[in-house]
Amino acid sequence: MTDRFRSFVRFCGAAELTSIGILVLAFGIPLLSSSPFLVSLVTQILIAIPAAFSVYVMLRMDLMTFAVPAFMAMGAYSAAIVGLRAGITDTIVLTALSFAVPALVALPLGALVLRLRGVYFVLVTFLLSQITQLLLFETPKLTGGSNGLAGMPATTLFGVALEDNRAVLFLAIALALLAAAITMVLTRYYRQHFAAIKENQILAESLGLVVWHYKMLGFAVAAGLAGIAGFSLVNMLLTAHPSSFSAMSSVDYIAYTIVGGAGSMFGPIVGSALLVTANNMFSNRGEYSPGFFGLLIIIVVLAMKDGIVGTAIKLAQRYRGRSRRIVLTPTQIPLQPAAAAEQTPVADQTVER
Amino acid sequence: MATASTSVTAGKAQHEGELHVDAIGKQFGGLKVFDQVSFKLLPGDILGVVGPNGAGKTTLINIISGLLFPTHGRITLGGHDITRTVFHGRSRMGVIRSFQQTSTFRPATVRENIARAIRFSHGSEMPPRGMDALMKRFELSDRLDEQSDKLPYGLQKMLGLVLAYVTSPKVLLLDEPAAGLEIRERGRVDDFVHHVREELGCGMLIVEHDMDLIRRLCPQIMVLDSGRILAEGPPADVLARPEVIAAYMGAAEEVAEQC
């Protein structure tokens, strides 16, 4: 293994570990500050992060999903219905439920929509979000219809009620951390498989990869991550309402991921933090925020395709590379006899570099 | 060995790498692109498939590899019916194809490309026998850490062949392996085919426009025209037949010259 390969591996791990580390550090915020503005802002950011991870996981397979609000709604309503109707408030149970319900629903849906790619997948997942919202409005007995489900009891952890804003933030951090851990394990463990699907699906299949399995797995986990975001949201609002899950809001989560950078897990975190903060600053002029997002996506797509994190890494590499630029020896054009090639061990190449 | 209209004898013990294609046809709506194509490919066989553009050569590879299903007819591998087996399923059974264009995992290194091919096909990390020799012959050994799409075109195509090789195929379908290669690079396709025959001994089907290459490598060829088998047999005989020359039209002079 050469240095370059090793540093590549190290770098990949680094992005994941930075993400986890930053989320762990966020636990300091509810301990150190009680500013309601800060606590509320950070909570919103941490709700956005699992939703952005959902987009990130699907982008690993070159699929742009607009179904995040649909699965968020499933997670949110599962927690709200169980909390209100069955009186279950245990955070661990609700978390498991908010992950499992959307993930299970995603399996049959995936069998239908994962045949599609590119713009067709985009369209169908967008419709999925619209249909879900319509269903929420049209089934008042179960979901409260246009009134939503209000008055959910506060969630509890080991019997302790998580009532004040800081406790809500504490749970939002824990849920974001869980989502980050799930995302890391999935995308690192199946890194080769997802990359192969993204880079050349036909070749991957021709070599024997059961592409369909990995797409299903990715879709189900992405749905579960969105469900966690949904639970985190109702835990803050103590209300589940269809307006929180409009199909248009899927654009926000995509914006978080792409503006932050879809190349590593750190991108969605940076994107969520920046854009949710920006959105809050625009909040007295809410009607401009979609326009602002659209503009940002255009700028990022045109000027920095790898998002903020990807561009920063590239700049850093270029800066570092200037001091010790790799000079590749010109390739030998005349065909070398096989015997001569045998005497050139691969190690020599790395020494040259 | 390629013979027309072979019927598969059910129940008869076959070698596991024996491919039988029995009267397959493909229709898109009312359009018959393919009709009554039958042949056998035994381990060690090298069957050349030639024909004018649009004759159905790539469609044939698509049908055998499972990218397309035939409208009628039957395909068996080692006596097992694989007519309805999906693409990746056939790959796992050992029916492996290469692609006309360069086909690699573009942003990944050569090493990563090969690691994925080994892992996806065998679920292991062990490189198969004879891979190193092949890599050296293609001068890919020195370029393991280069990004695959930064390689010269010829080497990208060779990498595509190596990816197919490391899956240890039982039947190998090569779709124009020499297309786009410079003349001096074409010998590498010969090297590859000889290497596969020695190391794996699997049956190979080669679709190719380079008649010299077909003559060098294939003891048997099959001429396709408009989705039918026009002629088959040893290349020297077949390529001299007037109907084959006529089918080639534009290429007729070239074929006649070479005979």
Side-chain angles (χ1 to χ4, degrees):
Chain A
M1 281 190 207
T2 65
D3 284 350
R4 212 163 133 198
F5 183 68
R6 221 176 290 145
S7 67
F8 174 68
V9 169
R10 219 182 293 140
F11 161 66
C12 272
E16 268 75 21
L17 293 175
T18 313
S19 307
I20 300 270
I22 283 191
L23 290 175
V24 170
L25 284 180
F27 277 118
I29 294 168
L31 297 177
L32 296 175
S33 167
S34 56
S35 147
F37 173 75
L38 186 68
V39 168
S40 152
L41 175 66
V42 175
T43 309
Q44 288 175 52
I45 292 171
L46 287 160
I47 291 167
I49 286 173
F53 280 154
S54 180
V55 175
Y56 169 77
V57 165
M58 293 309 285
L59 281 177
R60 301 272 88 192
M61 299 179 285
D62 206 21
L63 291 170
M64 174 90 81
T65 178
F66 279 69
V68 172
F71 293 123
M72 270 179 87
M74 290 175 208
Y77 275 85
S78 304
I81 289 169
V82 168
L84 272 170
R85 305 269 150 84
I88 295 174
T89 55
D90 184 73
T91 313
I92 293 164
V93 174
L94 293 180
T95 304
L97 202 67
S98 66
F99 182 88
V101 170
L104 287 175
V105 173
L107 291 177
L109 280 178
L112 291 172
V113 303
L114 289 173
R115 295 156 196 265
L116 305 171
R117 283 160 75 180
V119 72
Y120 301 102
F121 184 80
V122 167
L123 281 172
V124 167
T125 48
F126 187 78
L127 281 176
L128 215 60
S129 287
Q130 287 204 307
I131 292 168
T132 307
Q133 209 192 13
L134 194 70
L135 282 176
L136 294 178
F137 278 121
E138 296 302 321
T139 53
K141 275 190 184 148
L142 185 68
T143 64
S146 54
N147 295 323
L149 292 173
M152 221 184 116
T155 52
T156 54
L157 184 61
F158 305 122
V160 181
L162 303 172
E163 274 173 327
D164 68 338
N165 286 345
R166 284 204 269 179
V168 168
L169 173 55
F170 178 80
L171 182 63
I173 298 169
L175 289 173
L177 251 177
L178 175 70
I182 293 170
T183 307
M184 181 176 81
V185 170
L186 180 79
T187 57
R188 293 288 297 162
Y189 193 77
Y190 294 114
R191 186 176 57 86
Q192 283 184 317
H193 307 72
F194 286 155
I197 292 170
K198 179 175 183 167
E199 288 156 20
N200 195 338
Q201 184 178 324
I202 294 283
L203 176 62
E205 275 190 289
S206 84
L207 296 171
L209 184 73
V210 190
V211 167
W212 178 79
H213 284 183
Y214 297 94
K215 282 194 167 175
M216 275 299 227
L217 177 70
F219 192 55
V221 171
L225 293 171
I228 289 180
F231 170 47
S232 200
L233 182 67
V234 294
N235 186 59
M236 180 180 77
L237 302 174
L238 291 180
T239 301
H241 193 271
S243 64
S244 307
F245 310 106
S246 74
M248 280 313 291
S249 66
S250 55
V251 179
D252 297 349
Y253 308 119
I254 290 169
Y256 301 157
T257 309
I258 290 179
V259 171
S264 84
M265 236 181 89
F266 197 41
I269 294 181
V270 171
S272 302
L274 279 175
L275 292 185
V276 172
T277 308
N279 206 21
N280 263 24
M281 287 176 357
F282 271 81
S283 58
N284 49 351
R285 294 184 177 278
E287 69 273 23
Y288 292 122
S289 96
F292 168 73
F293 275 21
L295 202 67
L296 255 180
I297 293 185
I298 290 172
I299 291 171
V300 165
V301 167
L302 289 180
M304 30 191 222
K305 258 191 161 159
D306 307 309
I308 293 168
V309 170
T311 307
I313 288 169
K314 261 195 188 155
L315 287 176
Q317 277 173 344
R318 197 177 300 170
Y319 177 74
R320 231 190 303 161
R322 207 172 286 157
S323 51
R324 45 186 175 96
R325 173 131 281 177
I326 301 158
V327 184
L328 290 173
T329 47
T331 49
Q332 294 95 350
I333 302 291
L335 298 181
Q336 244 179 348
E342 246 176 80
Q343 284 158 7
T344 321
V346 184
D348 279 5
Q349 289 285 315
T350 56
V351 173
E352 272 171 41
R353 287 172 196 178
Chain B
M1 225 193 118
T3 32
S5 61
T6 314
S7 61
V8 179
T9 342
K12 194 180 158 192
Q14 286 179 5
H15 187 280
E16 57 167 9
E18 210 174 312
L19 182 79
H20 289 224
V21 173
D22 191 31
I24 53 166
K26 178 75 186 169
Q27 240 169 300
F28 293 110
L31 180 70
K32 264 190 194 171
V33 290
F34 223 71
D35 198 24
Q36 292 291 323
V37 172
S38 302
F39 61 90
K40 265 200 257 181
L41 192 67
L42 306 184
D45 280 358
I46 303 175
L47 173 64
V49 177
V50 300
N53 286 329
K57 304 186 296 294
T58 297
T59 309
L60 178 66
I61 286 193
N62 285 343
I63 288 178
I64 300 174
S65 63
L67 264 182
L68 290 174
F69 288 143
T71 326
H72 41 85
R74 211 159 94 98
I75 304 167
T76 61
L77 179 71
H80 298 286
D81 193 328
I82 58 166
T83 318
R84 293 276 139 193
T85 309
V86 290
F87 187 40
H88 59 77
R90 270 185 230 194
S91 164
R92 296 210 147 189
M93 295 174 88
V95 181
I96 303 288
R97 65 168 297 165
S98 75
F99 294 87
Q100 213 172 79
Q101 292 83 18
T102 59
S103 186
T104 63
F105 299 112
R106 298 178 63 85
T109 60
V110 172
R111 188 196 302 278
E112 175 71 13
N113 266 277
I114 291 169
R116 285 183 196 170
I118 294 171
R119 175 181 254 203
F120 296 164
S121 55
H122 302 288
S124 74
E125 314 286 331
M126 279 293 291
R129 202 162 58 107
M131 186 192 84
D132 287 340
L134 197 60
M135 294 288 286
K136 278 192 183 123
R137 206 171 296 181
F138 293 162
E139 291 174 35
L140 281 166
S141 309
D142 302 340
R143 295 175 161 229
L144 284 175
D145 294 304
E146 287 183 36
Q147 198 176 314
S148 69
D149 61 352
K150 301 265 164 77
L151 293 173
Y153 183 88
L155 279 186
Q156 287 188 44
K157 279 210 80 161
M158 290 307 117
L159 178 58
L161 295 181
V162 174
L163 294 183
Y165 178 85
V166 299
T167 64
S168 312
K170 287 185 190 139
V171 173
L172 188 54
L173 313 165
L174 302 178
D175 195 357
E176 299 199 23
L181 295 187
E182 290 171 40
I183 302 289
R184 64 177 177 83
E185 291 176 321
R186 295 197 179 173
R188 286 182 170 160
V189 176
D190 297 52
D191 290 347
F192 178 78
V193 170
H194 293 314
H195 190 81
V196 170
R197 202 180 44 191
E198 282 157 28
E199 292 289 337
L200 303 175
C202 65
M204 270 179 276
L205 184 146
I206 307 176
V207 166
E208 187 49 69
H209 279 298
D210 180 341
M211 288 302 162
D212 284 336
L213 189 128
I214 288 284
R215 275 170 221 273
R216 286 198 302 270
L217 294 175
C218 309
Q220 292 285 322
I221 68 165
M222 187 165 90
V223 183
L224 282 186
D225 184 32
S226 315
R228 287 174 306 107
I229 297 178
L230 188 67
E232 56 190 313
D237 299 352
V238 170
L239 293 177
R241 290 191 205 166
E243 71 269 27
V244 172
I245 295 171
Y248 258 95
M249 309 269 266
E253 287 159 48
E254 187 203 341
V255 175
E257 243 169 56
Q258 286 166 0
C259 291

